[in-house]
């Protein structure tokens, strides 16, 4: 693992919404629901024992009851699955990387047998920042590019294309990535 790169501490300090106070435009959660505006910033990793299923056609890419959710103010939860619960033979690494101010550099994966190559369906943080070292090597999946389910419910993708949050009936927004949210 490594230290934080220069500028990360100041970038992290610039966030206006930190989960300590729900803004007036946030939706009120109903019974059994969570508001993403109550999630903290910096984000936290929370265990989730519900069944998580990732499928492509009739092939199971991942099946787990040991997933974790990353909860961050304004974002739909992102589910991460341990590599032992992923059929890694169905995924191949892609070139290119991105960088998260909280977790560090990400590596992307596409489906090994996709009809069209070049669209990532999953990512990992091979060497995350110390606060998120428990996520090292765990897979997250884009629900707009591959079928994702939580406890049998088909997940809706977080808007914005870049985000990998999973929207289910038990979370309310509005969510970062929706139109007009670029300032969040």
């Amino acid at each position: 693992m490594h230290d934080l790169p220069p500028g990360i501490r100041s970038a992290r300090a610039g966030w206006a919404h930190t989960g300590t106070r729900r803004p007036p435009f946030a939706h009120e959660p109903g019974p059994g629901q969570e508001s993403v505006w109550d999630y903290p910033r910096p984000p936290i990793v929370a265990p989730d024992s519900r069944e998580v299923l990732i499928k492509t056609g009739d092939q199971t890419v991942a099946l787990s009851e040991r997933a974790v959710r990353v909860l961050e103010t304004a974002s739909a939860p992102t589910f991460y699955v341990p590599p032992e619960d992923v059929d890694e033979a169905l995924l191949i690494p892609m070139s290119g990387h991105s960088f998260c101010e909280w977790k560090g550099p990400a590596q992307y994966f596409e489906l090994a047998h996709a009809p069209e190559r070049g669209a990532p369906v999953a990512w990992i943080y091979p060497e995350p920042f110390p606060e998120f070292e428990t996520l090292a090597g765990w897979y997250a999946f884009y629900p707009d590019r591959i079928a994702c389910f939580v406890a049998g419910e088909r997940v809706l993708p977080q808007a914005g294309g870049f985000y990998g949050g999973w929207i289910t009936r038990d979370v309310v927004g509005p969510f970062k990535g929706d139109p007009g949210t670029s300032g969040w």
Side-chain angles (χ1 to χ4, degrees), residues 57-137:
D58 61 354
Q59 288 187 303
T60 297
V61 177
L63 179 61
S64 184
E65 291 181 350
R66 301 181 303 139
V68 297
R69 298 184 304 158
V70 171
L71 308 177
E72 178 182 355
T73 308
S75 286
T78 303
F79 281 72
Y80 287 80
V81 177
E84 302 83 27
D85 295 348
V86 175
D87 185 346
E88 294 179 302
L90 297 175
L91 301 171
I92 55 174
M94 298 178 67
S95 61
H97 295 74
S98 67
F99 185 84
C100 172
E101 70 182 289
W102 302 107
K103 295 177 269 327
Q107 177 185 3
Y108 292 90
F109 295 83
E110 62 186 332
L111 289 170
H113 304 293
E116 293 183 36
R117 302 297 283 275
V121 297
W123 73 93
I124 65 170
Y125 292 99
E127 294 186 36
F129 294 144
E131 307 99 308
F132 291 93
E133 64 189 3
T134 60
L135 293 180

Coordinates of all heavy atoms in Angstrom, one line a residue, residues 57-137:
G57 N -25.9 -13.3 -19.8 CA -26.7 -14.4 -20.4 C -27.1 -15.4 -19.3 O -27.6 -15.0 -18.2
D58 N -26.8 -16.6 -19.6 CA -27.1 -17.7 -18.6 C -25.8 -18.1 -17.7 O -25.8 -19.0 -17.0 CB -27.7 -18.9 -19.2 CG -26.7 -19.6 -20.2 OD1 -25.7 -19.0 -20.5 OD2 -27.1 -20.6 -20.8
Q59 N -24.7 -17.3 -17.9 CA -23.5 -17.6 -17.1 C -23.4 -16.7 -15.9 O -23.7 -15.5 -15.9 CB -22.3 -17.3 -18.0 CG -22.0 -18.3 -19.1 CD -20.7 -18.0 -19.7 OE1 -20.4 -16.9 -20.2 NE2 -19.8 -18.9 -19.7
T60 N -23.1 -17.4 -14.8 CA -22.9 -16.6 -13.5 C -21.4 -16.2 -13.4 O -20.5 -17.0 -13.5 CB -23.2 -17.5 -12.3 OG1 -24.6 -17.9 -12.4 CG2 -22.9 -16.9 -11.0
V61 N -21.3 -14.9 -13.4 CA -20.0 -14.2 -13.2 C -19.5 -14.2 -11.8 O -18.4 -14.4 -11.4 CB -19.9 -12.9 -13.9 CG1 -18.6 -12.2 -13.7 CG2 -20.3 -12.9 -15.4
A62 N -20.5 -13.9 -10.9 CA -20.2 -13.8 -9.5 C -21.5 -14.2 -8.7 O -22.6 -13.9 -9.1 CB -19.8 -12.4 -9.1
L63 N -21.3 -14.8 -7.6 CA -22.4 -15.2 -6.7 C -21.8 -15.1 -5.3 O -20.8 -15.8 -5.0 CB -22.9 -16.6 -7.0 CG -24.0 -17.1 -6.0 CD1 -25.3 -16.1 -6.1 CD2 -24.4 -18.5 -6.4
S64 N -22.3 -14.3 -4.4 CA -21.7 -14.1 -3.1 C -22.8 -13.7 -2.1 O -23.8 -13.0 -2.4 CB -20.7 -13.0 -3.2 OG -20.0 -12.8 -1.9
E65 N -22.5 -14.1 -0.8 CA -23.3 -13.6 0.3 C -22.3 -12.9 1.3 O -22.6 -12.8 2.5 CB -24.0 -14.7 1.0 CG -25.2 -15.2 0.1 CD -26.0 -16.4 0.8 OE1 -25.5 -16.9 1.9 OE2 -27.0 -16.7 0.3
R66 N -21.1 -12.6 0.7 CA -20.1 -11.9 1.5 C -19.6 -10.6 0.9 O -18.6 -10.1 1.2 CB -18.8 -12.8 1.5 CG -19.1 -14.2 2.1 CD -17.9 -15.1 2.2 NE -17.3 -15.3 0.9 CZ -16.0 -15.3 0.7 NH1 -15.2 -15.2 1.7 NH2 -15.5 -15.5 -0.5
A67 N -20.5 -10.0 0.1 CA -20.2 -8.7 -0.5 C -20.1 -7.6 0.6 O -20.6 -7.8 1.7 CB -21.3 -8.3 -1.5
V68 N -19.6 -6.5 0.2 CA -19.6 -5.3 1.0 C -20.1 -4.1 0.1 O -20.0 -4.2 -1.1 CB -18.2 -4.9 1.6 CG1 -17.7 -6.0 2.5 CG2 -17.2 -4.7 0.4
R69 N -20.6 -3.1 0.8 CA -21.1 -1.9 0.1 C -20.2 -0.8 0.5 O -19.8 -0.6 1.7 CB -22.5 -1.6 0.5 CG -23.5 -2.6 0.1 CD -25.0 -2.1 0.5 NE -25.1 -1.7 1.9 CZ -26.1 -0.9 2.3 NH1 -26.9 -0.3 1.5 NH2 -26.1 -0.6 3.6
V70 N -19.8 0.0 -0.5 CA -19.1 1.3 -0.2 C -20.2 2.3 -0.2 O -21.0 2.5 -1.2 CB -18.0 1.6 -1.2 CG1 -17.5 3.1 -1.0 CG2 -16.9 0.7 -1.1
L71 N -20.4 3.0 1.0 CA -21.4 4.0 1.2 C -20.8 5.4 1.2 O -19.9 5.7 2.1 CB -22.2 3.7 2.5 CG -22.7 2.3 2.6 CD1 -23.4 2.1 4.0 CD2 -23.7 2.0 1.5
E72 N -21.2 6.2 0.3 CA -20.6 7.6 0.2 C -21.7 8.6 -0.1 O -22.6 8.3 -0.9 CB -19.6 7.7 -0.9 CG -19.0 9.1 -1.1 CD -18.0 9.2 -2.3 OE1 -17.7 8.2 -2.9 OE2 -17.6 10.3 -2.5
T73 N -21.7 9.7 0.6 CA -22.7 10.8 0.5 C -23.0 11.0 -1.0 O -22.1 11.2 -1.8 CB -22.2 12.1 1.1 OG1 -21.7 11.9 2.4 CG2 -23.3 13.1 1.1
A74 N -24.3 11.0 -1.3 CA -24.9 11.3 -2.6 C -24.8 10.2 -3.6 O -25.4 10.3 -4.7 CB -24.3 12.6 -3.2
S75 N -24.0 9.1 -3.4 CA -23.9 8.0 -4.3 C -24.7 6.8 -3.9 O -24.8 6.5 -2.7 CB -22.4 7.6 -4.5 OG -21.7 8.6 -5.2
A76 N -25.3 6.2 -4.9 CA -25.9 4.9 -4.7 C -24.8 3.9 -4.2 O -23.6 4.1 -4.6 CB -26.5 4.3 -5.9
P77 N -25.1 3.0 -3.3 CA -24.0 2.0 -2.8 C -23.4 1.3 -4.0 O -24.0 0.9 -5.0 CB -24.8 1.1 -2.0 CG -26.1 1.8 -1.6 CD -26.4 2.7 -2.8
T78 N -22.1 1.1 -3.9 CA -21.3 0.3 -4.8 C -21.0 -1.0 -4.1 O -20.4 -1.0 -3.0 CB -20.0 1.0 -5.3 OG1 -20.4 2.3 -5.8 CG2 -19.3 0.2 -6.3
F79 N -21.4 -2.1 -4.7 CA -21.2 -3.4 -4.1 C -19.8 -4.0 -4.6 O -19.5 -3.9 -5.8 CB -22.3 -4.4 -4.5 CG -23.5 -4.2 -3.7 CD1 -24.3 -3.1 -3.9 CD2 -23.9 -5.2 -2.8 CE1 -25.5 -3.0 -3.1 CE2 -25.1 -5.0 -2.0 CZ -25.9 -3.9 -2.2
Y80 N -19.1 -4.6 -3.7 CA -17.8 -5.2 -4.0 C -17.9 -6.7 -3.6 O -18.3 -7.0 -2.5 CB -16.6 -4.5 -3.3 CG -16.3 -3.2 -3.9 CD1 -17.0 -2.1 -3.6 CD2 -15.2 -3.1 -4.8 CE1 -16.7 -0.8 -4.1 CE2 -14.9 -1.8 -5.4 CZ -15.6 -0.7 -5.0 OH -15.3 0.5 -5.6
V81 N -17.4 -7.6 -4.5 CA -17.5 -9.0 -4.3 C -16.1 -9.6 -4.1 O -15.2 -9.2 -4.9 CB -18.2 -9.7 -5.5 CG1 -18.3 -11.2 -5.3 CG2 -19.6 -9.1 -5.7
P82 N -15.9 -10.4 -3.1 CA -14.5 -11.0 -3.0 C -14.1 -11.8 -4.2 O -15.0 -12.5 -4.8 CB -14.6 -11.9 -1.7 CG -16.1 -12.1 -1.5 CD -16.8 -11.0 -2.1
P83 N -12.9 -11.8 -4.6 CA -12.4 -12.5 -5.8 C -12.7 -14.0 -5.8 O -13.0 -14.6 -6.8 CB -10.9 -12.3 -5.9 CG -10.5 -11.8 -4.6 CD -11.7 -11.2 -3.9
E84 N -12.8 -14.6 -4.6 CA -13.1 -16.1 -4.5 C -14.5 -16.4 -4.9 O -14.8 -17.5 -5.3 CB -13.0 -16.6 -3.0 CG -11.6 -16.3 -2.4 CD -11.4 -14.9 -1.9 OE1 -12.4 -14.2 -1.5 OE2 -10.2 -14.5 -1.9
D85 N -15.4 -15.4 -5.0 CA -16.8 -15.5 -5.4 C -17.0 -15.1 -6.8 O -18.2 -15.0 -7.3 CB -17.7 -14.8 -4.4 CG -17.7 -15.4 -3.0 OD1 -17.1 -16.5 -2.8 OD2 -18.2 -14.7 -2.1
V86 N -16.0 -14.8 -7.6 CA -16.1 -14.4 -9.0 C -15.4 -15.4 -9.9 O -14.3 -16.0 -9.6 CB -15.3 -13.0 -9.1 CG1 -15.3 -12.6 -10.6 CG2 -16.0 -11.9 -8.2
D87 N -16.1 -15.7 -11.0 CA -15.5 -16.6 -12.0 C -14.5 -15.7 -12.8 O -14.9 -15.2 -13.9 CB -16.6 -17.3 -12.9 CG -16.0 -18.3 -13.8 OD1 -14.8 -18.3 -14.1 OD2 -16.8 -19.0 -14.4
E88 N -13.3 -15.6 -12.4 CA -12.3 -14.7 -13.0 C -12.0 -15.1 -14.5 O -11.5 -14.3 -15.2 CB -11.1 -14.6 -12.2 CG -11.4 -13.9 -10.8 CD -10.2 -13.8 -9.9 OE1 -9.6 -14.8 -9.6 OE2 -9.8 -12.6 -9.6
A89 N -12.3 -16.4 -14.8 CA -12.0 -16.8 -16.2 C -12.9 -16.1 -17.2 O -12.6 -16.1 -18.4 CB -12.2 -18.4 -16.3
L90 N -14.0 -15.6 -16.7 CA -15.0 -14.9 -17.6 C -14.6 -13.4 -17.8 O -15.2 -12.7 -18.6 CB -16.4 -14.9 -17.0 CG -17.0 -16.4 -16.9 CD1 -18.3 -16.3 -16.3 CD2 -17.1 -17.0 -18.3
L91 N -13.6 -12.9 -17.1 CA -13.1 -11.5 -17.2 C -11.7 -11.4 -17.7 O -10.9 -12.3 -17.3 CB -13.2 -10.9 -15.8 CG -14.6 -10.9 -15.2 CD1 -14.5 -10.4 -13.7 CD2 -15.6 -10.0 -16.0
I92 N -11.4 -10.4 -18.4 CA -10.0 -10.2 -18.8 C -9.7 -8.7 -18.6 O -10.5 -7.8 -18.7 CB -9.7 -10.5 -20.3 CG1 -10.7 -9.8 -21.3 CG2 -9.8 -12.0 -20.5 CD1 -10.4 -10.0 -22.7
P93 N -8.4 -8.4 -18.1 CA -8.0 -7.1 -17.8 C -8.0 -6.2 -19.1 O -7.8 -6.7 -20.2 CB -6.6 -7.2 -17.3 CG -6.4 -8.6 -17.0 CD -7.4 -9.4 -17.8
M94 N -8.3 -4.9 -18.9 CA -8.3 -4.0 -20.0 C -7.1 -3.0 -19.8 O -6.7 -2.8 -18.6 CB -9.6 -3.2 -20.0 CG -10.8 -4.0 -20.3 SD -12.3 -3.0 -20.2 CE -12.0 -2.0 -21.7
S95 N -6.7 -2.3 -20.8 CA -5.7 -1.3 -20.7 C -6.5 0.0 -20.2 O -7.7 0.1 -20.3 CB -5.0 -1.0 -22.0 OG -6.0 -0.6 -22.9
G96 N -5.7 0.9 -19.6 CA -6.3 2.1 -19.0 C -6.7 1.9 -17.6 O -6.9 0.8 -17.1
H97 N -6.6 3.0 -16.9 CA -6.9 3.1 -15.5 C -7.7 4.4 -15.2 O -7.7 5.3 -16.0 CB -5.6 3.0 -14.7 CG -4.9 1.8 -14.8 ND1 -4.2 1.4 -16.0 CD2 -4.7 0.7 -14.0 CE1 -3.6 0.3 -15.9 NE2 -3.9 -0.2 -14.7
S98 N -8.2 4.4 -14.0 CA -8.8 5.7 -13.4 C -8.3 5.8 -12.0 O -7.6 5.0 -11.5 CB -10.3 5.7 -13.5 OG -10.8 4.7 -12.7
F99 N -8.7 6.9 -11.4 CA -8.2 7.2 -10.1 C -9.4 7.7 -9.2 O -10.1 8.7 -9.6 CB -7.1 8.3 -10.2 CG -6.4 8.6 -8.8 CD1 -5.4 7.8 -8.4 CD2 -6.9 9.6 -8.1 CE1 -4.8 8.0 -7.2 CE2 -6.3 9.9 -6.9 CZ -5.3 9.1 -6.4
C100 N -9.5 7.2 -8.0 CA -10.5 7.6 -7.1 C -9.8 8.3 -5.9 O -8.8 7.8 -5.4 CB -11.3 6.4 -6.5 SG -12.4 6.8 -5.1
E101 N -10.3 9.5 -5.6 CA -9.6 10.2 -4.5 C -9.7 9.5 -3.2 O -8.9 9.8 -2.3 CB -10.2 11.6 -4.4 CG -11.6 11.7 -3.8 CD -12.2 13.0 -3.7 OE1 -11.8 13.8 -2.9 OE2 -13.1 13.3 -4.5
W102 N -10.6 8.6 -3.0 CA -10.8 7.8 -1.7 C -10.1 6.5 -1.8 O -9.5 6.1 -0.8 CB -12.2 7.6 -1.4 CG -13.0 8.9 -1.3 CD1 -13.9 9.4 -2.2 CD2 -12.9 9.9 -0.3 NE1 -14.4 10.6 -1.8 CE2 -13.8 10.9 -0.6 CE3 -12.1 10.0 0.9 CZ2 -13.9 12.1 0.2 CZ3 -12.3 11.2 1.7 CH2 -13.2 12.2 1.3
K103 N -10.1 5.8 -2.9 CA -9.6 4.4 -3.0 C -8.3 4.3 -3.7 O -7.6 3.3 -3.5 CB -10.7 3.5 -3.5 CG -12.0 3.5 -2.6 CD -13.1 2.7 -3.2 CE -14.1 3.3 -4.0 NZ -14.6 4.6 -3.8
G104 N -8.0 5.2 -4.7 CA -6.8 5.1 -5.4 C -7.0 4.7 -6.8 O -8.0 4.8 -7.4
P105 N -5.9 4.1 -7.5 CA -6.0 3.7 -8.9 C -6.8 2.4 -9.1 O -6.7 1.5 -8.3 CB -4.5 3.5 -9.3 CG -3.8 3.2 -8.0 CD -4.6 3.9 -6.9
A106 N -7.7 2.4 -10.1 CA -8.5 1.3 -10.4 C -8.0 0.6 -11.7 O -7.5 1.3 -12.6 CB -10.0 1.8 -10.6
Q107 N -8.3 -0.7 -11.8 CA -8.0 -1.5 -13.0 C -9.4 -2.0 -13.5 O -10.2 -2.4 -12.7 CB -7.1 -2.6 -12.7 CG -6.8 -3.5 -13.8 CD -6.0 -4.7 -13.4 OE1 -5.6 -4.9 -12.3 NE2 -5.7 -5.6 -14.4
Y108 N -9.6 -2.0 -14.8 CA -10.8 -2.4 -15.4 C -10.8 -3.8 -16.1 O -9.7 -4.2 -16.5 CB -11.3 -1.4 -16.4 CG -11.6 -0.1 -15.7 CD1 -10.7 0.9 -15.5 CD2 -12.9 0.1 -15.2 CE1 -11.0 2.0 -14.8 CE2 -13.2 1.3 -14.5 CZ -12.3 2.2 -14.3 OH -12.6 3.4 -13.6
F109 N -12.0 -4.4 -16.2 CA -12.1 -5.7 -16.8 C -13.3 -5.7 -17.8 O -14.3 -5.1 -17.5 CB -12.3 -6.8 -15.7 CG -11.2 -7.0 -14.8 CD1 -11.0 -6.1 -13.8 CD2 -10.2 -8.0 -15.1 CE1 -9.9 -6.3 -12.9 CE2 -9.1 -8.1 -14.2 CZ -8.9 -7.3 -13.2
E110 N -13.1 -6.5 -18.8 CA -14.2 -6.7 -19.8 C -14.6 -8.2 -19.8 O -13.8 -9.0 -19.3 CB -13.9 -6.2 -21.2 CG -12.7 -6.9 -21.8 CD -12.3 -6.3 -23.1 OE1 -13.2 -5.7 -23.8 OE2 -11.1 -6.4 -23.5
L111 N -15.7 -8.5 -20.4 CA -16.1 -9.9 -20.5 C -15.2 -10.6 -21.5 O -14.9 -10.1 -22.6 CB -17.5 -10.1 -20.9 CG -18.6 -9.7 -19.8 CD1 -19.9 -9.7 -20.4 CD2 -18.5 -10.7 -18.7
A112 N -14.7 -11.8 -21.2 CA -13.8 -12.5 -22.1 C -14.5 -12.9 -23.4 O -13.8 -13.0 -24.4 CB -13.3 -13.8 -21.4
H113 N -15.8 -13.1 -23.3 CA -16.5 -13.6 -24.5 C -17.5 -12.6 -25.0 O -18.5 -13.0 -25.6 CB -17.1 -15.0 -24.2 CG -16.1 -16.0 -23.8 ND1 -15.1 -16.5 -24.6 CD2 -16.0 -16.6 -22.5 CE1 -14.4 -17.4 -23.9 NE2 -14.9 -17.4 -22.6
A114 N -17.3 -11.3 -24.8 CA -18.2 -10.3 -25.3 C -18.2 -10.2 -26.8 O -17.1 -10.3 -27.4 CB -17.9 -9.0 -24.6
P115 N -19.4 -10.0 -27.4 CA -19.4 -9.8 -28.8 C -18.6 -8.6 -29.3 O -18.0 -8.6 -30.4 CB -20.9 -9.7 -29.2 CG -21.6 -9.5 -27.9 CD -20.7 -9.9 -26.8
E116 N -18.7 -7.5 -28.5 CA -17.9 -6.3 -28.8 C -17.0 -6.1 -27.6 O -17.4 -6.1 -26.5 CB -18.8 -5.1 -29.0 CG -19.7 -5.2 -30.2 CD -20.5 -4.0 -30.4 OE1 -20.1 -2.9 -30.1 OE2 -21.7 -4.1 -30.8
R117 N -15.7 -5.9 -27.9 CA -14.7 -5.7 -26.8 C -14.6 -4.2 -26.6 O -14.9 -3.4 -27.4 CB -13.4 -6.3 -27.3 CG -13.4 -7.7 -27.6 CD -13.8 -8.6 -26.5 NE -12.7 -8.8 -25.5 CZ -11.8 -9.8 -25.6 NH1 -11.8 -10.6 -26.7 NH2 -10.9 -9.9 -24.7
G118 N -14.1 -3.9 -25.4 CA -13.7 -2.5 -25.1 C -14.6 -1.8 -24.1 O -14.4 -0.7 -23.7
A119 N -15.7 -2.5 -23.6 CA -16.5 -1.9 -22.6 C -16.3 -2.6 -21.2 O -16.5 -3.8 -21.1 CB -18.0 -2.1 -23.0
P120 N -15.8 -1.8 -20.3 CA -15.5 -2.5 -19.0 C -16.9 -2.8 -18.3 O -17.8 -2.1 -18.4 CB -14.8 -1.4 -18.2 CG -15.2 -0.1 -18.8 CD -15.4 -0.4 -20.3
V121 N -16.9 -4.0 -17.7 CA -18.0 -4.4 -16.9 C -17.7 -4.5 -15.4 O -18.6 -4.6 -14.6 CB -18.6 -5.8 -17.3 CG1 -19.1 -5.7 -18.8 CG2 -17.5 -6.9 -17.2
A122 N -16.4 -4.4 -15.1 CA -16.0 -4.6 -13.7 C -14.7 -3.8 -13.4 O -14.0 -3.5 -14.4 CB -15.8 -6.0 -13.3
W123 N -14.4 -3.5 -12.2 CA -13.1 -2.9 -11.8 C -12.7 -3.4 -10.4 O -13.5 -3.9 -9.7 CB -13.2 -1.4 -11.8 CG -13.9 -0.8 -10.7 CD1 -13.4 -0.3 -9.5 CD2 -15.3 -0.5 -10.7 NE1 -14.4 0.2 -8.8 CE2 -15.6 0.1 -9.4 CE3 -16.4 -0.7 -11.6 CZ2 -16.9 0.5 -9.1 CZ3 -17.7 -0.3 -11.2 CH2 -17.9 0.3 -10.0
I124 N -11.4 -3.3 -10.2 CA -10.8 -3.6 -8.8 C -9.9 -2.4 -8.5 O -9.4 -1.7 -9.4 CB -10.1 -4.9 -8.8 CG1 -8.9 -4.9 -9.7 CG2 -11.0 -6.1 -9.1 CD1 -7.9 -6.1 -9.5
Y125 N -9.5 -2.4 -7.2 CA -8.5 -1.5 -6.7 C -7.3 -2.4 -6.3 O -7.4 -3.0 -5.2 CB -8.9 -0.6 -5.6 CG -9.9 0.4 -6.0 CD1 -11.3 0.2 -5.9 CD2 -9.5 1.6 -6.7 CE1 -12.2 1.2 -6.3 CE2 -10.4 2.5 -7.2 CZ -11.7 2.3 -7.0 OH -12.6 3.2 -7.4
P126 N -6.3 -2.6 -7.1 CA -5.2 -3.6 -6.8 C -4.5 -3.2 -5.5 O -4.1 -4.0 -4.7 CB -4.3 -3.6 -8.0 CG -5.1 -3.0 -9.1 CD -6.1 -2.1 -8.5
E127 N -4.2 -1.9 -5.4 CA -3.5 -1.3 -4.2 C -4.2 -0.1 -3.8 O -3.7 1.0 -4.0 CB -2.0 -1.0 -4.7 CG -1.2 -2.2 -5.0 CD 0.2 -1.9 -5.3 OE1 0.8 -1.0 -4.6 OE2 0.8 -2.6 -6.1
P128 N -5.3 -0.2 -3.1 CA -6.0 0.9 -2.6 C -5.3 1.7 -1.5 O -4.4 1.1 -0.9 CB -7.4 0.4 -2.1 CG -7.0 -1.1 -1.8 CD -6.0 -1.5 -2.7
F129 N -5.7 2.9 -1.3 CA -5.2 3.7 -0.2 C -5.5 2.9 1.1 O -6.4 2.1 1.2 CB -5.8 5.1 -0.1 CG -5.5 6.0 -1.3 CD1 -6.4 6.8 -1.8 CD2 -4.2 5.9 -1.8 CE1 -6.1 7.7 -2.8 CE2 -3.9 6.7 -2.9 CZ -4.9 7.6 -3.4
P130 N -4.7 3.2 2.2 CA -4.8 2.4 3.4 C -6.2 2.3 4.0 O -6.6 1.3 4.5 CB -3.8 3.2 4.4 CG -2.8 3.8 3.5 CD -3.6 4.2 2.2
E131 N -7.0 3.4 3.9 CA -8.3 3.3 4.5 C -9.2 2.3 3.8 O -10.2 1.9 4.4 CB -9.1 4.7 4.4 CG -8.3 5.9 4.9 CD -7.7 6.7 3.8 OE1 -6.9 6.1 3.0 OE2 -7.9 7.9 3.7
F132 N -8.9 1.9 2.6 CA -9.7 1.0 1.9 C -9.0 -0.3 1.5 O -9.4 -1.0 0.5 CB -10.3 1.7 0.6 CG -11.3 2.7 1.0 CD1 -10.9 4.0 1.2 CD2 -12.6 2.3 1.2 CE1 -11.8 5.0 1.6 CE2 -13.5 3.3 1.6 CZ -13.2 4.6 1.8
E133 N -7.9 -0.6 2.2 CA -7.1 -1.8 1.8 C -7.9 -3.1 1.9 O -7.6 -4.1 1.3 CB -5.8 -1.9 2.7 CG -6.1 -2.1 4.2 CD -4.7 -1.9 4.9 OE1 -3.7 -1.7 4.4 OE2 -4.8 -2.1 6.2
T134 N -9.0 -3.1 2.7 CA -9.9 -4.3 2.7 C -10.5 -4.6 1.3 O -11.0 -5.7 1.1 CB -11.0 -4.2 3.8 OG1 -11.8 -3.1 3.4 CG2 -10.4 -4.1 5.2
L135 N -10.6 -3.6 0.4 CA -11.1 -3.8 -0.9 C -10.1 -4.3 -1.9 O -10.5 -4.6 -3.1 CB -11.7 -2.5 -1.4 CG -13.0 -1.9 -0.7 CD1 -13.4 -0.6 -1.4 CD2 -14.1 -3.0 -0.7
A136 N -8.9 -4.4 -1.5 CA -7.8 -4.8 -2.5 C -8.2 -6.1 -3.2 O -8.4 -7.2 -2.6 CB -6.5 -5.0 -1.8
G137 N -8.4 -6.0 -4.6 CA -8.7 -7.2 -5.4 C -10.1 -7.6 -5.5 O -10.5 -8.5 -6.2

